[in-house]
Amino acid sequence: SAVISQKPSRDICQRGTSLTIQCQVDSQVTMMFWYRQQPGQSLTLIATANQGSEATYESGFVIDKFPISRPNLTFSTLTVSNMSPEDSSIYLCSAGLRPSGTEAFFGQGTRLTVV
Amino acid sequence: KQEVTQIPAALSVPEGENLVLNCSFTDSAIYNLQWFRQDPGKGLTSLLLIQSSQREQTSGRLNASLDKSSGRSTLYIAASQPGDSATYLCAAGDGGTSYGKLTFGQGTILTVHP
């Protein structure tokens, strides 16, 4: 299994500001994923973060709003830029351990409230 | 585009009952099917992973089955306990160049009362 640590666990931010969320995995993984869970909703994939290349964004998500870094095989960051109250959600990072038969593991999430 | 549906949306049962949670997916070309548990305000805990070549997986009181041809998976919880109260999510995993990417259902909110 893998242990995924996210920081911060929660934050309250002013609209118009940005927040960077960090995700650390205790083993090397090829692909990491960032999800958003809006209040009362299920998880929606924001983007796939590959080490050494640009992140791949899902429909409805753009790099200017959610820039992602992936500097090495154990770490990634997601920035929520120019926040509005609609960005209030839980943000979760995920990683799979190996290419085949991969089981996805999740961090504990970052609960973001924008006021 | 993969779509995952879970039924029922919510379930309330007395302690000790056996129960079944249902998950259906539209694209049968999945790589795997994973069940998660989410406690309020928390992250996800992986419960069971079924590879596309498998029919079922068991862990303790939990048993998950997978029927790719019909696009269905079920999670069976035996002898439910109040501590089982949580939201249960199923997720269909992509393969190929998108391995590790999950499409989630809306979840089933389970309440087990003493």
Side-chain angles (χ1 to χ4, degrees), chain A residues 51-91:
Chain A
Q51 193 269 334
S53 64
E54 293 283 335
T56 303
Y57 289 82
E58 298 297 305
S59 175
F61 298 96
V62 295
I63 187 171
D64 289 346
K65 177 67 175 177
F66 298 102
I68 288 171
S69 77
R70 181 80 199 276
N72 57 52
L73 291 175
T74 64
F75 187 78
S76 177
T77 67
L78 169 75
T79 298
V80 186
S81 302
N82 189 24
M83 290 184 284
S84 66
E86 292 69 35
D87 295 319
S88 297
S89 299
I90 298 175
Y91 292 86

Side-chain angles (χ1 to χ4, degrees), chain A residues 7-25:
Chain A
K7 292 193 300 185
S9 59
R10 59 175 60 221
D11 208 340
I12 300 174
C13 300
Q14 297 291 322
R15 68 176 66 203
T17 63
S18 298
L19 175 72
T20 295
I21 303 168
Q22 299 180 3
C23 180
Q24 179 76 53
V25 188

Side-chain angles (χ1 to χ4, degrees), chain A residues 35 37 42 101-104 111, chain B residues 32 34 38 41 46 51 102 105:
Chain A
Y35 291 83
Q37 187 176 30
S42 190
T102 184
E103 179 175 2
R111 179 180 289 273
Chain B
N32 55 41
Q34 198 163 349
Q38 186 177 32
S46 177
Q51 303 294 351
L102 298 175

